[in-house]
Amino acid sequence: MAFSGALTLSDLNDFLSPSQACIKPVEDVKPAEQPADPGAAATQISIDSSGNYYEITARKTDPSAGKKLQTAQISLNDCLACSGCITSAESVLITMQSHEEVLSFLSSNPSPDVQGHRIPIISISPQSLASLAASVSSTSSQTISLQTVLQRIRVFCRQQLGFAHVYDTTFARHLSLLEQGREYTERKAATGQGDNKLPMLASACPGWICYAEKAHSEMLPFISRTKSPQQIMGSLIKEWMSKKWEKTPGDIYHVSVMPCYDKKLEASRQDFFNDVYNTRDVDCVITTGELELLMREKGWDLSIRVDGEDAVKPELVTQDFSLPELLLHPGTSSGSYLQSIISLVSSSQENTHRTLKLNTRTIRTADYEEYVLEDITTGEVVFKGAKCYGFRNLQNVVRKIGKENGVRGLPGGAVRGRVKRRLAEGQTASQDKGYDFVEVMACPSGCVNGGGQIRPPIKVLGERVLDAEGYQREWAGEGVQPEADVLGLVADPSTKWGNKDWIQKVESNYWSSVDPSADSASALNADHAAVHVLKEMCNLRQDTDLPADNRMWMQSMESKAEARRREIFRTNYRKIDNEVVGLAVKW
């Protein structure tokens, strides 16, 4: 299985306990067999009282007298080869998602004037831009903006790779947040009817979706049906831009740059495949690290200025229309899904006459926080939500939601008399109220710490660098040749995924380009663009009366237009049965 060379495994500090299907049987590599003596005894495996395995001859009865077998180790290849987490079909699809695949397509793509040419387009997430900006900023004390990084990558992708268009995905995220708000409002109004259940759980993290479909299908009714920004961007490019350019979806090749390897699985879902034109909304997903590897292989230095990088010109869709770029969505660097719902609830008509206060409570770590919107006058809890990052916290939230909603199949089951008992123990109503919305991300610290992000480098100190314990080492003198990267840095072998200082630096770069004075203008521009896109994609006349702000997403359109809107911006999830029997796994 040819996975990307940029794929690494380090510091599994947030792992799930392995299930039976995830255990690799003991494997013993034997030396070349010697000719057996006639009548030699057969061997057998025996286990002593401590659980150790021994290979002994049939004539011996003491296990310790035989050869002790080595304990098997599960490597990354073993993990990815196992079908306990992903199916064999999914694993084949992942092999098609790599930077080598991108290069292969670009090299074989006919020229624009030849039949069969596909327009290559690349879209980049803001978290990926922040990771690249942090890497560049590590060479100097000056922080580089996301806009500058985007401009330099745009030049690289056009000149070195041959991409026709380079976009960021923040406008797609803007549409995703609007649709998520619409879905939350619908669920709130119809709670308890069908699958309209609260709390609503964010659905932008494919790692969480994969986990829920295969391990906690009872949570699926709670998960938002709104597509992630990656997939909405795919719909924009394949369904809307293609018509603007008088092309079919199959005439476009769309590459997405994401901070997470699970985005490759998301793009491969059958729900995002166009059977008519035999194409996916996102043809290939590469990670931030793979994009950096592409630049390294092409000899491109992202720290060097490019011509015209200060003259910001948004990427045009047509001569008179361009998508808003690098939009600010206050809240978290993982998409601000919770904050957008809080803003929606605060500005709703039923709360305009209230004086609301937002209280925040940290539970254990900053990766698990509760947000309570409370009426100061009456003390009524208007909204309660949570930010939950990392599988450890995620499992706790799953149990909590299961207990509060009487979901069967979870540890603890339904809890009766919970309200009376907690109030009797002195807890407040805000502590007792169940969640209305939860922003869920599988990675600790969220998307800026995705597994596909660039690992933290360290500066070269002459010929000396620091080892894992912080001591300076003469690597060259010890026969070790560190691999220098394109930024003139050396990747520390001891650097672990999830380094707090590095995450903070990436986070800082993510928010560094924020211009508070431009917030209102960019938001209004984004809303105008959203109305324009909504009308065209849902086949409405441009003179259709819709408010040119975020209220327009809450208004219902005619039945055909509404059906089209749901087709474009929403998806579905389903339980996936695990067909693996642990004892029957063959290696």
Side-chain angles (χ1 to χ4, degrees):
M1 191 176 297
F3 287 92
S4 167
L7 185 59
T8 59
L9 180 68
S10 60
D11 189 24
L12 295 179
N13 60 357
D14 196 67
F15 63 91
L16 290 169
S17 298
S19 63
Q20 186 182 32
C22 198
I23 301 300
K24 181 181 178 181
V26 174
E27 179 181 9
D28 181 35
V29 180
K30 296 183 178 180
E33 295 185 1
Q34 300 295 328
D37 294 333
T43 61
Q44 62 184 16
I45 304 298
S46 182
I47 307 175
D48 66 9
S49 58
S50 301
N52 297 316
Y53 290 80
Y54 292 87
E55 181 182 25
I56 62 174
T57 63
R59 297 177 181 178
K60 296 182 179 180
T61 57
D62 182 10
S64 60
K67 176 185 176 183
K68 185 177 180 180
L69 299 177
Q70 184 179 6
T71 303
Q73 301 292 326
I74 300 178
S75 68
L76 176 63
N77 288 335
D78 299 326
C79 182
L80 292 177
C82 173
S83 56
C85 294
I86 61 175
T87 65
S88 58
E90 288 172 334
S91 64
V92 171
L93 292 171
I94 290 180
T95 63
M96 301 167 60
Q97 308 267 345
S98 67
H99 74 286
E100 289 95 345
E101 186 68 23
V102 174
L103 291 176
S104 175
F105 165 78
L106 293 172
S107 63
S108 61
N109 191 32
S111 58
D113 56 345
V114 177
Q115 186 178 6
H117 171 77
R118 300 178 68 186
I119 303 173
I121 300 175
I122 188 167
S123 58
I124 308 174
S125 72
Q127 293 86 2
S128 296
L129 293 173
S131 182
L132 291 164
S135 293
V136 175
S137 299
S138 297
T139 61
S140 64
S141 58
Q142 184 177 3
T143 301
I144 185 172
S145 69
L146 300 193
Q147 185 67 63
T148 300
V149 173
L150 178 60
Q151 290 295 98
R152 294 177 186 179
I153 291 177
R154 182 168 282 154
V155 173
F156 165 73
C157 290
R158 284 174 172 171
Q159 295 183 359
Q160 299 293 318
L161 300 180
F163 280 95
H165 299 278
V166 182
Y167 300 100
D168 75 284
T169 62
T170 55
F171 179 67
R173 182 176 66 189
H174 188 73
L175 298 181
S176 180
L177 293 175
L178 290 173
E179 183 63 21
Q180 174 193 260
R182 170 68 179 265
E183 183 182 0
Y184 175 79
T185 302
E186 292 173 354
R187 289 193 182 216
K188 191 74 172 178
T191 302
Q193 302 177 18
D195 286 340
N196 294 296
K197 294 187 177 182
L198 291 179
M200 190 169 86
L201 309 178
S203 59
C205 175
W208 151 239
I209 297 300
C210 182
Y211 173 64
E213 287 186 324
K214 297 177 180 180
H216 284 294
S217 59
E218 68 279 354
M219 288 289 108
L220 296 182
F222 298 94
I223 297 178
S224 168
R225 264 46 182 177
T226 301
K227 289 183 182 179
S228 71
Q230 171 181 279
Q231 296 309 134
I232 287 183
M233 192 69 193
S235 296
L236 286 177
I237 290 174
K238 292 294 184 84
E239 300 290 337
W240 178 61
M241 294 184 189
S242 63
K243 293 181 179 179
K244 289 284 189 181
W245 301 328
E246 298 181 347
K247 301 290 184 179
T248 68
D251 293 331
I252 297 174
Y253 186 80
H254 177 206
V255 177
S256 181
V257 182
M258 289 287 147
C260 173
Y261 282 99
D262 286 333
K263 286 293 183 181
K264 298 172 184 280
L265 275 179
E266 180 183 35
S268 300
R269 293 177 69 93
Q270 190 61 33
D271 306 73
F272 307 133
F273 184 81
N274 188 323
D275 295 308
V276 176
Y277 294 99
N278 195 34
T279 185
R280 299 187 182 279
D281 294 341
V282 181
D283 294 282
C284 187
V285 178
I286 61 175
T287 64
T288 314
E290 289 175 297
L291 176 60
E292 188 271 339
L293 185 60
L294 268 176
M295 290 188 286
R296 185 191 309 173
E297 291 177 351
K298 296 293 183 179
W300 185 268
D301 190 342
L302 197 58
S303 64
I304 298 178
R305 290 177 58 86
V306 297
D307 293 338
E309 71 175 42
D310 296 327
V312 180
K313 295 181 180 179
E315 187 83 3
L316 293 175
V317 177
T318 61
Q319 291 297 325
D320 58 351
F321 187 83
S322 62
L323 295 184
E325 286 188 350
L326 297 177
L327 296 172
L328 167 67
H329 295 107
T332 66
S333 56
S334 296
S336 304
Y337 297 95
L338 174 60
Q339 184 59 46
S340 71
I341 296 296
I342 293 175
S343 300
L344 175 67
V345 173
S346 301
S347 61
S348 63
Q349 186 175 1
E350 63 187 66
N351 292 320
T352 53
H353 64 285
R354 293 181 172 183
T355 303
L356 302 177
K357 178 183 179 182
L358 182 63
N359 300 311
T360 305
R361 184 167 72 101
T362 300
I363 303 177
R364 298 185 184 88
T365 68
D367 277 349
Y368 188 4
E369 295 179 336
E370 288 185 349
Y371 293 77
V372 178
L373 199 60
E374 190 175 30
D375 189 323
I376 295 179
T377 305
T378 64
E380 178 188 354
V381 176
V382 177
F383 172 87
K384 184 176 181 181
K387 179 190 77 173
C388 174
Y389 295 166
F391 271 114
R392 286 176 179 171
N393 293 323
L394 192 155
Q395 290 179 87
N396 290 331
V397 167
V398 166
R399 293 190 189 100
K400 176 180 173 65
I401 293 172
K403 290 178 180 180
E404 291 177 344
N405 291 273
V407 176
R408 297 181 179 274
L410 289 173
V415 177
R416 296 183 179 182
R418 177 175 53 84
V419 175
K420 293 182 179 180
R421 183 175 68 255
R422 290 189 175 182
L423 291 179
E425 295 173 353
Q427 292 193 17
T428 64
S430 64
Q431 290 175 306
D432 182 75
K433 175 179 169 60
Y435 293 141
D436 295 299
F437 182 86
V438 183
E439 181 178 308
V440 182
M441 299 293 159
C443 291
S445 301
C447 295
V448 292
N449 186 38
Q453 295 282 68
I454 298 175
R455 292 178 64 189
I458 60 173
K459 293 184 178 180
V460 178
L461 305 175
E463 295 297 326
R464 305 168 69 88
V465 293
L466 303 180
D467 65 8
E469 297 179 342
Y471 293 98
Q472 291 185 343
R473 298 286 295 275
E474 296 282 356
W475 294 113
E478 298 176 18
V480 178
Q481 182 61 46
E483 181 182 356
D485 66 12
V486 69
L487 301 177
L489 307 178
V490 173
D492 183 356
S494 68
T495 302
K496 297 180 179 181
W497 173 70
N499 180 284
K500 297 297 183 183
D501 293 336
W502 180 251
I503 294 172
Q504 186 59 43
K505 186 173 182 62
V506 178
E507 182 89 12
S508 176
N509 277 270
Y510 181 90
W511 297 108
S512 64
S513 301
V514 173
D515 181 5
S517 63
D519 288 356
S520 299
S522 60
L524 184 60
N525 181 35
D527 287 337
H528 278 288
V531 171
H532 180 81
V533 170
L534 181 67
K535 289 180 178 180
E536 291 199 347
M537 294 193 76
C538 295
N539 302 318
L540 291 174
R541 299 193 314 271
Q542 285 300 317
D543 59 355
T544 303
D545 186 20
L546 287 177
D549 56 28
N550 56 15
R551 292 176 300 159
M552 59 83 191
W553 219 269
M554 300 300 162
Q555 293 197 3
S556 297
M557 302 178 287
E558 60 182 5
S559 58
K560 289 185 178 180
E562 278 296 314
R564 177 63 176 158
R565 180 181 62 80
R566 290 174 179 270
E567 178 185 348
I568 296 169
F569 298 110
R570 297 193 190 182
T571 185
N572 290 294
Y573 308 106
R574 60 194 61 84
K575 178 182 178 181
I576 299 178
D577 293 321
N578 187 358
E579 299 177 354
V580 176
V581 179
L583 298 178
V585 175
K586 296 182 180 180
W587 297 86

